[in-house]
Every structure is written in structure tokens, then in C-alpha cells.
Amino acid sequence: MVFNTSDNCYSVSRFQVNQTPGLGNYTTIASAIAAASQGDTIFIMPGIYVENLILKVGVSFSGFCLGGGAAEATKIKGKILDNGVSSTATFTGICLETNADEFLELTAASSSVTFDRCQFRSVDATGMAIGAGCTVMAFLCTSNITTTGIGLYTGAGSLQWRQCNMQNSGQTLTASSSSGSSQYIDCVVGMPIATSGIGSITAESTLFDTAIINTTSITTAGTGSSLLLNCTVSSGSASAIDAGVGTVVQLLNSNASSSNANAITGAGQVSVGVLNLYGTSKVINTTTQVPVTVIPGAIKITTPGAYPYTANPFDGMILVDSSSARTINLPASPTQGARGRRQ
């Protein structure tokens, strides 16, 4: 039975958007936002909604997919913005797609948007512009950049990605860049990313894979410090990481694969704990290289020219640049497993 009513009394939820008149309380998302208040959730029925929307503080959005349908069933094709007013919102099970402009723009400090099981599609413009002091958090989301010359995000805000799959079917070489903090946990990232200014990248258990487009996966510029823990970076014929002057990239228990002459390059500093260079290139030629002992059993890479090197009792394996003679002095009674290995 369908109730045709002009109020909200007979709906499953107080705010239900359906493009078919009479099957919901509202036919547009914008009209539902105008009527909603802080704490309300707007449920959006499947369809493509070509709308530009202004967030309202504390109003959330949920795709109403019967039978657990995919997030793409409910698509907003347009721009969502805070309009310069600090806002908070949560989106669940909704696809956001560009329409010749970003699908999300946050400019007011303290604006915060959380995405849960959503999809992001950059089809004709970079997807997000996140201003300083703003935060975007994404959980179990997927994204795709479907053409060249654009990225997923830009700006100076804070970006937090958890268990996200970030695709690049358009094979863009344009890096998604931020001068704020970008955090990746348990993600797959198929697009190049970059920092500028005081921007930083913190990643754990994440695969950065741009091998199919033969471009550097991670490029740092400015003055920020970045950390990769339990990560893999693969870049084909390009250097996997380019650490720019003034930046520090710390690699702990991670892998890098490249067939470039230099697996890791740049005029900045790379601090290395456990690192496996498993591509054809074994060369790190950053201006500054600092060995880091994390735990007993850590791999240590030393700066060329710092030889002969005397092994520390806490060293596990020492990866040695074999392009020229290197001398490793082992202590008389090394810790079990402490040996020299040539790469």
C-alpha cells in the first residue's frame, strides 16, 4: 500500500527522497535538507540525482538500497559544499560523481564529513577540494578516476582513508595532492599521490600500485614528514618514491618495486627500517639516507660512503649496495641471525 501524503507521518522515515511523486516525502534532496534539522537522517531511494547541495549541520544521508544493493544505485551527480559554514555530515551507501566540478568542497574550518561504504567517481573533474582545518573520513569506500588530467582530491585539509579501494581506470598521471595530512590504513591505492607545503602521508598496511601507468606512486614536496609502515609501493619503470628537498619519508617494514635506475629518489631524506627492494632496481639515491633500527631483527640500509660499517648487535640483516666494494664488520659475537647480505 502506498500513502500519498503531504506530511511526514506515514513514511518509514521522516525524510525519504524518491524521484517518483507520492512514493516519498520529497522528490529532491535539496528540499529534504531544507526541512531537516540537526540529528535527522535523510534516506534517498535509488536513482540519479543531478543536484548541487549545501550541507546543514548534523544532517546525515543514507542510500536506501532495498536488498542491500550497491552504493552506485543511489547517485548524487553534482557538488556538495558547506558554503563557508562549519558543517558536519555522514553519508552512507551513496555514490558521489563529478559534474564538471568537484563533488565535494569544504572551505569552513572544522567542517567534517564521514563516508561509510560510499563510492566516489571523478569522471570530468577532480573529486574533492578540502580546505585547511576541514576533515574527510572514508570507511570501506571505493573510488575511481575515469579520465586523465584529474585526481581524486586536492586541498589543505585532513584526509583519512580506512579499508578503501582507490582505482584509476582512466590511468591519470595527475597526482592527488594535499598540503594537509593524508592517512591510509588497509587501502589499495592505484593513483599517484603527492604532498606539498607541510603536507604528510601516514600509511599502514597499504598497497600503492601505479605500475600499470609507469609513474611514481608517492611524491613529497615541502617540509612535511611521512611514514609508511607495512606498505608496498610499486611503480613500474618510474621510481617508486620521490622524496623532495626538505621532506622526510620513513619506511618501516615495507616493500618497494621499480625497474627504474633508482627505486627511491629525490633531494630529501629517506629513513629506512625494514625495507625490501624486490624489483630489478636496488638503488636508493636520495640526498640523505638514515638507517633506522626499529626492533631486533630490523634491516638496516646505510648511506653510501658510510663504510666500513660495524654491525650493531640489534641489526638483523644489512642490505648492501653491491655496485661497489662495501665492508661490513661483524662483532665477535653477533646477535643470532645478524649477518651481512649483498643485494
Side-chain angles (χ1 to χ4, degrees), residues 6 19 33 36 69 106 139 203 248 251 282 294:
S6 59
Q19 291 174 319
I33 293 174
L106 301 179
F139 301 89
V248 176
L251 303 169
K282 310 294 183 183
V294 187

PDB file of all heavy atoms in Angstrom, residues 6 19 33 36 69 106 139 203 248 251 282 294:
ATOM      1  N   SER A   6       1.152  14.749   2.227  1.00  0.00           N
ATOM      2  CA  SER A   6       1.984  15.936   2.136  1.00  0.00           C
ATOM      3  C   SER A   6       2.812  16.152   3.395  1.00  0.00           C
ATOM      4  O   SER A   6       3.617  17.071   3.460  1.00  0.00           O
ATOM      5  CB  SER A   6       1.114  17.176   1.887  1.00  0.00           C
ATOM      6  OG  SER A   6       0.179  17.328   2.958  1.00  0.00           O
ATOM      7  N   GLN A  19      12.321  10.105  -6.425  1.00  0.00           N
ATOM      8  CA  GLN A  19      12.061  10.953  -7.581  1.00  0.00           C
ATOM      9  C   GLN A  19      10.653  10.782  -8.143  1.00  0.00           C
ATOM     10  O   GLN A  19      10.172  11.637  -8.896  1.00  0.00           O
ATOM     11  CB  GLN A  19      13.104  10.650  -8.671  1.00  0.00           C
ATOM     12  CG  GLN A  19      14.511  11.101  -8.293  1.00  0.00           C
ATOM     13  CD  GLN A  19      15.550  10.678  -9.310  1.00  0.00           C
ATOM     14  OE1 GLN A  19      15.520   9.573  -9.823  1.00  0.00           O
ATOM     15  NE2 GLN A  19      16.491  11.564  -9.599  1.00  0.00           N
ATOM     16  N   ILE A  33      16.702  18.575   2.671  1.00  0.00           N
ATOM     17  CA  ILE A  33      17.669  19.283   3.525  1.00  0.00           C
ATOM     18  C   ILE A  33      17.037  20.535   4.115  1.00  0.00           C
ATOM     19  O   ILE A  33      17.210  20.851   5.295  1.00  0.00           O
ATOM     20  CB  ILE A  33      18.935  19.643   2.716  1.00  0.00           C
ATOM     21  CG1 ILE A  33      19.702  18.378   2.320  1.00  0.00           C
ATOM     22  CG2 ILE A  33      19.835  20.582   3.511  1.00  0.00           C
ATOM     23  CD1 ILE A  33      20.887  18.640   1.405  1.00  0.00           C
ATOM     24  N   ALA A  36      14.962  19.495   7.040  1.00  0.00           N
ATOM     25  CA  ALA A  36      15.590  18.700   8.107  1.00  0.00           C
ATOM     26  C   ALA A  36      16.278  19.588   9.133  1.00  0.00           C
ATOM     27  O   ALA A  36      16.576  20.760   8.879  1.00  0.00           O
ATOM     28  CB  ALA A  36      16.585  17.727   7.497  1.00  0.00           C
ATOM     29  N   GLY A  69      21.540  -3.368  -1.961  1.00  0.00           N
ATOM     30  CA  GLY A  69      22.115  -3.044  -3.261  1.00  0.00           C
ATOM     31  C   GLY A  69      23.389  -2.222  -3.147  1.00  0.00           C
ATOM     32  O   GLY A  69      23.762  -1.756  -2.075  1.00  0.00           O
ATOM     33  N   LEU A 106      34.809  21.625   0.783  1.00  0.00           N
ATOM     34  CA  LEU A 106      34.719  22.101   2.161  1.00  0.00           C
ATOM     35  C   LEU A 106      35.685  23.258   2.327  1.00  0.00           C
ATOM     36  O   LEU A 106      36.875  23.132   2.014  1.00  0.00           O
ATOM     37  CB  LEU A 106      35.074  20.981   3.152  1.00  0.00           C
ATOM     38  CG  LEU A 106      34.222  19.709   3.099  1.00  0.00           C
ATOM     39  CD1 LEU A 106      34.726  18.694   4.123  1.00  0.00           C
ATOM     40  CD2 LEU A 106      32.744  20.016   3.326  1.00  0.00           C
ATOM     41  N   PHE A 139      35.363   5.226   5.147  1.00  0.00           N
ATOM     42  CA  PHE A 139      35.477   3.852   5.626  1.00  0.00           C
ATOM     43  C   PHE A 139      34.850   2.904   4.602  1.00  0.00           C
ATOM     44  O   PHE A 139      33.716   3.120   4.162  1.00  0.00           O
ATOM     45  CB  PHE A 139      34.767   3.682   6.975  1.00  0.00           C
ATOM     46  CG  PHE A 139      35.294   4.580   8.060  1.00  0.00           C
ATOM     47  CD1 PHE A 139      34.767   5.851   8.255  1.00  0.00           C
ATOM     48  CD2 PHE A 139      36.331   4.160   8.881  1.00  0.00           C
ATOM     49  CE1 PHE A 139      35.241   6.681   9.251  1.00  0.00           C
ATOM     50  CE2 PHE A 139      36.821   4.982   9.884  1.00  0.00           C
ATOM     51  CZ  PHE A 139      36.283   6.251  10.067  1.00  0.00           C
ATOM     52  N   ALA A 203      50.778   5.967   6.290  1.00  0.00           N
ATOM     53  CA  ALA A 203      50.131   4.800   5.698  1.00  0.00           C
ATOM     54  C   ALA A 203      50.540   3.538   6.450  1.00  0.00           C
ATOM     55  O   ALA A 203      51.685   3.396   6.869  1.00  0.00           O
ATOM     56  CB  ALA A 203      50.501   4.672   4.226  1.00  0.00           C
ATOM     57  N   VAL A 248      60.898  14.388   4.661  1.00  0.00           N
ATOM     58  CA  VAL A 248      61.423  13.145   5.222  1.00  0.00           C
ATOM     59  C   VAL A 248      60.397  12.053   4.984  1.00  0.00           C
ATOM     60  O   VAL A 248      59.204  12.232   5.269  1.00  0.00           O
ATOM     61  CB  VAL A 248      61.703  13.266   6.736  1.00  0.00           C
ATOM     62  CG1 VAL A 248      62.155  11.930   7.310  1.00  0.00           C
ATOM     63  CG2 VAL A 248      62.743  14.348   7.007  1.00  0.00           C
ATOM     64  N   LEU A 251      60.415   4.689   6.055  1.00  0.00           N
ATOM     65  CA  LEU A 251      59.921   3.415   5.547  1.00  0.00           C
ATOM     66  C   LEU A 251      60.242   2.324   6.558  1.00  0.00           C
ATOM     67  O   LEU A 251      61.413   2.037   6.825  1.00  0.00           O
ATOM     68  CB  LEU A 251      60.576   3.090   4.200  1.00  0.00           C
ATOM     69  CG  LEU A 251      60.403   4.139   3.099  1.00  0.00           C
ATOM     70  CD1 LEU A 251      61.297   3.825   1.923  1.00  0.00           C
ATOM     71  CD2 LEU A 251      58.949   4.216   2.666  1.00  0.00           C
ATOM     72  N   LYS A 282      67.734  -1.790  -7.156  1.00  0.00           N
ATOM     73  CA  LYS A 282      68.050  -1.895  -5.732  1.00  0.00           C
ATOM     74  C   LYS A 282      68.666  -0.608  -5.201  1.00  0.00           C
ATOM     75  O   LYS A 282      69.260  -0.598  -4.139  1.00  0.00           O
ATOM     76  CB  LYS A 282      69.042  -3.045  -5.502  1.00  0.00           C
ATOM     77  CG  LYS A 282      68.666  -4.375  -6.136  1.00  0.00           C
ATOM     78  CD  LYS A 282      67.423  -4.974  -5.523  1.00  0.00           C
ATOM     79  CE  LYS A 282      67.117  -6.337  -6.137  1.00  0.00           C
ATOM     80  NZ  LYS A 282      65.862  -6.910  -5.605  1.00  0.00           N
ATOM     81  N   VAL A 294      64.522  -0.473  14.249  1.00  0.00           N
ATOM     82  CA  VAL A 294      63.207  -0.413  14.874  1.00  0.00           C
ATOM     83  C   VAL A 294      63.106  -1.414  16.011  1.00  0.00           C
ATOM     84  O   VAL A 294      62.758  -1.084  17.130  1.00  0.00           O
ATOM     85  CB  VAL A 294      62.111  -0.702  13.830  1.00  0.00           C
ATOM     86  CG1 VAL A 294      60.751  -0.468  14.439  1.00  0.00           C
ATOM     87  CG2 VAL A 294      62.301   0.182  12.616  1.00  0.00           C
TER      88      VAL A 294
END
